[in-house]
Amino acid sequence: MSNSYIDIHCHPSLKPYGKSFKYQPQKQNNLNSGRKNSIWHYSPPNFIERQFNKILTLTKFTQTDLTALAKADCNIVVISLYPFEKHFLKDKMLGVKFLPDLLVNLAAGVSQKRIDNLRNHNSYFQDLNDEYDYYKQLDNFAQVIDGITFTYRLVSSYAEISTNITTSTATRKIISLVPTIEGGHAFETGLKLNINTADEANVLNNIETVKNWNHKPFFLTLAHHFFNEICGHARSINIGLIKKNQNRGLDTDITDLGFKVIAKLLDNTDNKRILIDVKHMSRASRTTYYKLLETNYANEDIPIIVSHGAVNGKRSIEEPNASDSEQSQYFREDDINFYDSEILRIAKSKGIFGLQLDERRIANQKAIRASRIYWPSKKRRYINKSDLIWRQIRHIAELLNKNGLFAWQTVAIGSDFDGIVNPIKGLWTAENIKDITPYLVDKARDYLNIHQSQLLPKNKISAEEIINRVLYINANEFLKQNF
């Protein structure tokens, strides 16, 4: 088994970039890893922070800082640039002005200065460029960790990744960072909560600008938490004080502007296509996008991407209450999660499905309660929590096998670490992937011992290969074919 894993969706910069607003000059990526505005700042959870997370589901510690990724032996990481949405903030909550600031800061782990910046700035596109610049500041700067010299390098093709891997040694290692963007609002849409603000020419020009970056984004997550004038979004916020801000555009379809944005992104002139990630899109907009691929792009091989998601166990968008799997009793039925028919589309398109390591997405309350432990036991915790991950892998594999497809090629890890997530308990940071891996192999081995006769010959591979595919091989092959 490979010692490393590939994460196709995480946010290494969200916390340190947010902290950088506390210092002068702002937005600086500090080479000193002891400073909280450094992307190398190592801050794994202590006992109190772990208990804080268990009780309040808030993640104040860093999960994919570059030091944690280095310690996890990651050599490829797909990073997500995310202009933090202003609509998380309200003027007052419960009559208290500072309360929304406090809630967002607690949930995101940024800084009050960053919150002030969010309230006052008027350009998501500028914020996107500033975060991109934050990464560029320390590109190829050395950092010594546990006696090994590490650098990270932003990359623009798999050829560059391959070069970085082959030139790395036991004492000098390179981490390749593949840029992506979360949320079409990054192109300057959705700035106001209740009125449209997007200027079509400006939006399309901003896309063109990004396509000409030195490190063009691999893909874009088209929707996110709030209406972006491009397409409808799925419900993702259940906090009562903020939930109402999501209502505009919820469950709606792709807009006229959205069709033009999609066409611009998928235009492959000069090999500058930016692929589309369907996570966060509403059922209506996902359905329309799939039809668009079948018609306007029928002669092109465009893979469907879910960068960080989970299955809901239901048959299809058209039959959202029907289920064909006993595993579905353990899944959340939310339509932000994905239907079986969509999983089949992804597999047939040679796409990728990043499994989100967030308890709020990957399992329902029944499954989470069953996975709890009441006496301290690291082994028992990993045995129980690996069930939450394995059920998702198993469900997808059985679905693909049933439809004559290779069962183990579609799933990867799209943790959403350092996003606003509630991590699976025990899977606190990137370093803990290696801790749970043996237990996932055990789950796969137990499954094969009982169910191997139900698998097609091509799907009878070893437990070790199944998990290695999920952790590394599938994402690596997808990048090799498409990046």
Side-chain angles (χ1 to χ4, degrees):
M1 298 244 336
S2 169
N3 291 325
S4 59
Y5 81 102
I6 297 174
D7 195 332
I8 69 168
H9 184 87
C10 59
H11 297 268
S13 64
L14 192 145
K15 292 183 177 75
Y17 176 66
K19 299 287 188 186
S20 75
F21 287 81
K22 296 182 1 180
Y23 303 94
Q24 293 298 328
Q26 294 183 337
K27 308 175 189 177
Q28 295 298 298
N29 194 351
N30 202 312
L31 187 59
N32 179 356
S33 63
R35 300 292 294 272
K36 291 183 178 180
N37 60 330
S38 173
I39 202 165
W40 293 96
H41 182 66
Y42 183 57
S43 181
N46 57 36
F47 175 80
I48 293 175
E49 288 172 326
R50 291 195 297 270
Q51 303 315 306
F52 189 69
N53 175 268
K54 290 175 185 177
I55 296 169
L56 298 176
T57 73
L58 298 175
T59 307
K60 297 287 287 180
F61 47 87
T62 60
Q63 299 174 290
T64 51
D65 58 86
L66 266 292
T67 298
L69 292 169
K71 287 176 176 287
D73 200 25
C74 290
N75 55 22
I76 306 171
V77 184
V78 181
I79 60 168
S80 180
L81 302 173
Y82 165 49
F84 210 103
E85 288 149 295
K86 298 165 73 72
H87 309 317
F88 276 110
L89 302 173
K90 296 176 68 175
D91 290 336
K92 290 184 179 181
M93 288 183 182
L94 302 179
V96 182
K97 187 172 184 179
F98 74 88
L99 186 57
D101 292 11
L102 177 64
L103 286 174
V104 172
N105 201 359
L106 281 172
V110 286
S111 67
Q112 183 57 48
K113 290 291 186 181
R114 173 57 164 156
I115 301 299
D116 294 341
N117 166 262
L118 292 174
R119 284 194 177 280
N120 296 321
H121 85 67
N122 200 39
S123 176
Y124 285 136
F125 189 63
Q126 183 61 55
D127 203 26
L128 171 72
N129 280 274
D130 288 344
E131 188 178 4
Y132 175 43
D133 181 68
Y134 179 83
Y135 277 102
K136 290 193 292 183
Q137 290 171 34
L138 294 185
D139 184 277
N140 208 29
F141 277 70
Q143 190 77 213
V144 178
I145 301 167
D146 298 335
I148 301 172
T149 301
F150 285 89
T151 61
Y152 73 77
R153 294 181 187 174
L154 292 161
V155 293
S156 55
S157 69
Y158 191 83
E160 292 180 15
I161 294 174
S162 182
T163 297
N164 290 343
I165 291 173
T166 56
T167 55
S168 292
T169 68
T171 57
R172 300 185 67 86
K173 298 185 177 183
I174 302 167
I175 304 172
S176 296
L177 301 187
V178 178
T180 68
I181 298 172
E182 184 161 27
H185 66 284
F187 299 124
E188 212 72 287
T189 69
L191 274 165
K192 299 294 184 180
L193 183 61
N194 294 314
I195 59 173
N196 289 348
T197 61
D199 176 84
E200 179 184 307
N202 185 44
V203 171
L204 298 179
N205 183 64
N206 289 340
I207 296 173
E208 183 66 22
T209 298
V210 168
K211 282 190 159 195
N212 286 289
W213 279 359
N214 289 336
H215 313 97
K216 174 184 67 67
F218 179 32
F219 59 77
L220 167 88
T221 311
L222 197 64
H224 204 220
H225 294 301
F226 305 98
F227 184 56
N228 62 11
E229 307 175 55
I230 294 171
C231 68
H233 52 282
R235 173 72 72 191
S236 60
I237 297 173
N238 291 307
I239 301 171
L241 295 174
I242 304 172
K243 185 176 180 179
K244 187 183 296 184
N245 283 9
Q246 261 204 316
N247 288 348
R248 184 176 184 233
L250 191 72
D251 300 328
T252 58
D253 211 329
I254 297 172
T255 67
D256 290 342
L257 174 62
F259 283 112
K260 295 175 183 178
V261 166
I262 290 169
K264 183 71 172 177
L265 290 167
L266 294 182
D267 180 0
N268 204 28
T269 302
D270 298 325
N271 198 33
K272 290 183 178 180
R273 171 174 286 160
I274 296 175
L275 294 171
I276 290 172
D277 167 23
V278 299
K279 176 62 190 282
H280 287 290
M281 292 171 72
S282 66
R283 289 187 297 180
S285 58
R286 294 194 321 248
T287 298
T288 298
Y289 177 65
Y290 300 147
K291 290 178 180 176
L292 197 64
L293 292 182
E294 292 173 351
T295 53
N296 294 23
Y297 300 94
N299 297 321
E300 301 187 50
D301 295 323
I302 298 178
I304 298 171
I305 298 171
V306 173
S307 66
H308 57 300
V311 300
N312 58 27
K314 300 303 181 181
R315 185 178 297 162
S316 67
I317 290 174
E318 296 74 24
E319 298 177 275
N321 298 314
S323 175
D324 300 310
S325 168
E326 63 179 31
Q327 300 300 308
S328 64
Q329 64 181 302
Y330 302 109
F331 303 145
R332 290 191 66 93
E333 298 181 4
D334 306 354
D335 62 8
I336 194 173
N337 287 350
F338 291 84
Y339 297 85
D340 290 356
S341 61
E342 295 181 278
I343 301 300
L344 290 172
R345 283 182 180 272
I346 294 164
K348 290 175 181 178
S349 75
K350 296 183 172 57
I352 197 78
F353 188 92
L355 198 55
Q356 186 175 10
L357 302 182
D358 185 337
E359 281 198 348
R360 288 173 296 201
R361 295 281 176 255
I362 206 170
N364 60 20
Q365 284 302 311
K366 172 185 175 180
I368 293 171
R369 283 194 298 269
S371 73
R372 289 174 183 158
I373 61 170
Y374 297 95
W375 297 100
S377 169
K378 185 175 180 179
K379 179 179 180 181
R380 174 51 58 184
R381 181 181 299 281
Y382 283 128
I383 289 173
N384 288 3
K385 295 302 183 181
S386 62
D387 271 335
L388 305 183
I389 300 171
W390 173 250
R391 287 190 188 112
Q392 293 270 331
I393 299 169
R394 173 182 172 177
H395 177 85
I396 293 172
E398 290 181 339
L399 174 66
L400 299 185
N401 181 75
K402 179 181 175 181
N403 285 272
L405 301 171
F406 184 41
W408 312 107
Q409 194 172 8
T410 303
V411 181
I413 297 296
S415 70
D416 204 16
F417 279 161
D418 282 313
I420 306 173
V421 297
N422 178 24
I424 297 170
K425 305 303 171 277
L427 249 65
W428 305 112
T429 77
E431 290 185 84
N432 296 123
I433 297 294
K434 66 179 182 300
D435 296 324
I436 203 168
T437 296
Y439 300 94
L440 289 172
V441 173
D442 287 344
K443 300 292 182 187
R445 187 176 294 116
D446 291 344
Y447 175 79
L448 292 173
N449 287 339
I450 299 171
H451 300 284
Q452 188 161 170
S453 63
Q454 300 167 20
L455 297 175
L456 298 172
K458 62 184 174 183
N459 292 325
K460 296 178 180 179
I461 63 176
S462 71
E464 289 79 9
E465 184 180 350
I466 288 171
I467 302 307
N468 201 23
R469 280 190 162 277
V470 171
L471 296 183
Y472 192 90
I473 295 173
N474 292 341
N476 187 56
E477 289 299 317
F478 184 76
L479 285 162
K480 188 180 295 185
Q481 294 297 318
N482 297 286
F483 182 52

